[in-house]
Each structure stands twice: as structure tokens, then as C-alpha cells.
Amino acid sequence: VKEEGKNNFQFFTSEMNELIARKSKIAMSIRKGLELNEFSVHYQPQFDLETEKIIGVEALVRWHHAKLGTISPAEFIPIAEESGMILRIGEFVLRTACQQTKDWQDAGVEPFRVAVNISARQFSQGNIAEVITLALDDAGLAPEFLELELTESIIQGATSAISKMQQLKAMGIHLSIDDFGTGYSSLSYLKLFPIDTLKIDQHFTRNILIDSKDAALVDTIIQMARNLGLNVIAEGVETLEQLTFLKARRCNQAQGYYFQKPLLPEKIEELYLKVKTR
Ligand code: C2E
Ligand code: CA
Ligand code: CA
Ligand code: CA
């Protein structure tokens, strides 16, 4: 028994060591990966549920590492947040997304917004408004075509968050709260912050037909958003049944595999090119 316990312990530590080694390997290769163009951006369409038209795309970063292969953002984003490299990745995604959206517009795609995820650390850097202004200017993209997806942690964080948001809002940029309802912030921020859209987290969407409590929460979030005059978008919509539920509750926007997965920019252009009339 003693022997077995010892082996278990060794097994456990070697697995831990592997995880730590992978994590530090990832942390160390982000900078190089950016230099080598290993990062790219995919785009997932977002739809208005009344008109069924595309209203935007969410920019989602992708990393194909030369040795480790494809690494999920769910794995490397938290590591990049810890190391500070999120600032570099974030700026890459922001610039790529703005430029791509302008290129689509120039190519004759019907104009829609691009939503870029902004991590708390990125938002709390001093000059976020400046970084965004420069990215828009360099791309030649009008600010109303940019949306920033912020999480509730941003709101809890700095007192400067509200003035930064007001500044961005005054520029014409749209602001949404990502993963709404998964943080622990008080709802009163909805009154104080200049927010346009609430994004219902995919964990709620996934369970609406399985768990009546999740269904009740989703229903409540939609009604609250409507009462506050905000847009509400459900993410992670995978089935017609989920979509039907959301439409019946008058959710006004949706995104998910039921419509489209995150796509390469060429695919977006192909799908949403305006029909040319003469
Ligand atoms: P998120 O912002 O909540 O993004 C939604 C995630 O759900 C994406 O995963 C997307 O591909 C996935 N998804 C979309 N529709 C469906 C669906 O119908 N079913 C399921 N099961 N999943 C769906 P992804 O691309 O792996 O990104 C994971 C997370 O990594 C994102 O969650 C976001 O927190 C972070 N992330 C991705 N790109 C960026 C970025 O450029 N900057 C920052 N700061 N974070 C990013
Ligand atoms: Ca997001
Ligand atoms: Ca989300
Ligand atoms: Ca999420």
C-alpha cells in the first residue's frame, strides 16, 4: 500500500511537471510566434434574429505553433494575460480585424461590425483609447464598425474603466459585455456604464432546453436587456430548438455553430458579398 501511494504521488508530480513545462513553453514562444506569423484571426458571423441578416463578426485569434501544433486560445490567452504578452496579441488581433473589415468593405461585402475581445489587462493599460484610435486610423475603418467585447472583470477592476468606456463610446465604438452573468459583479453597473449589448454566455445557451433554471436565467437576461434598451445576443447557439426558444423570448441577436463556425476571412467574403446589380 505504501509502495502504491508513493507511485501515485510520483505519477501525479510528473503530470504536474508536464503541465508546467507546457505552460512555460507556451509562454516563452508567444513572442516568436508573433514574429513568425503563426497567429491568425478567424471570424464568426453574428445575426439579427428578425431580419436574419449578418450584423457583425466576432474576431477570434488562432495559433498554429510550429512544434506544438494548434493551441486553443482558451489555453494560451490566460497564459498571455499572466505574462503580459496579451498586449501584443491583443494589438495584433485588433489591427488585423480592423484592416480585414475595411478590406471586406472595399471588396463590396455588405458592411457589418467587427467585435474584438479585449482582456482586462489590455483594457487597464493607460492608453487603450489611443491604441484603438491608431488601429482604426491605420486601417481607415470608421469607429462605428468596431465593437469591443469586454468582460465583467473590467468593470470590477479600475475606477478609470467608466471614463475609458465613455471616451470610446463618444468615438462611436460599440461596447458589449461578454459572458454576461458569469462574473460576480453587481447589476448596478449596467446603469452606470455606456454599454450597447449583453452577450449571453454559451453555458447558459447550451442548457436552455435541459435545465429549467438556465432557461429562467436566459429569459430574465433577455427581458432585462430589453427593458434597459440594450441589444442582447446569445452565443453558442447550436440547434434549431435553442434558436426557437430564444426567438420566442425575443432575444434579438445570435451567434453559434447552428449558423456558422468561426471562418477564414476568404470564406466570409464569399458568403456575404453583396449581389452585384447593374
Ligand atoms: P469567447 O469570447 O466566449 O468566444 C466564444 C468561443 O465559443 C469561441 O471559442 C468560439 O469559437 C466558440 N463558439 C462559438 N460558437 C459556438 C457554438 O455554437 N458552440 C460551441 N461549443 N462553441 C462555440 P475560441 O475561439 O476557442 O475562443 C475561446 C476564448 O478565448 C474566447 O471565448 C475568448 O475568451 C478567448 N479569445 C479568443 N480570441 C481572443 C482574442 O483575440 N483576445 C482575447 N483577449 N481573448 C480571445
Ligand atoms: Ca467573446
Ligand atoms: Ca463569450
Ligand atoms: Ca467565454
Side-chain angles (χ1 to χ4, degrees), residues 44 58-62 72-74 77 81 86 89-90 93 116-119 122 149 178-179 201-202 206 235-238 255-258 260 262:
Q44 186 176 35
E58 178 177 3
L60 293 157
V61 69
R62 296 290 177 258
S72 161
I77 292 287
E81 276 169 348
I86 189 64
I89 296 174
V93 175
V116 176
N117 291 284
I118 303 288
S119 86
Q122 220 183 332
E149 293 197 2
D178 203 358
D179 304 338
D201 190 69
Q202 55 180 295
R206 188 169 304 151
E235 74 174 5
V237 177
E238 292 184 353
Q255 167 184 359
Y257 295 169
Y258 175 77
Q260 298 286 353

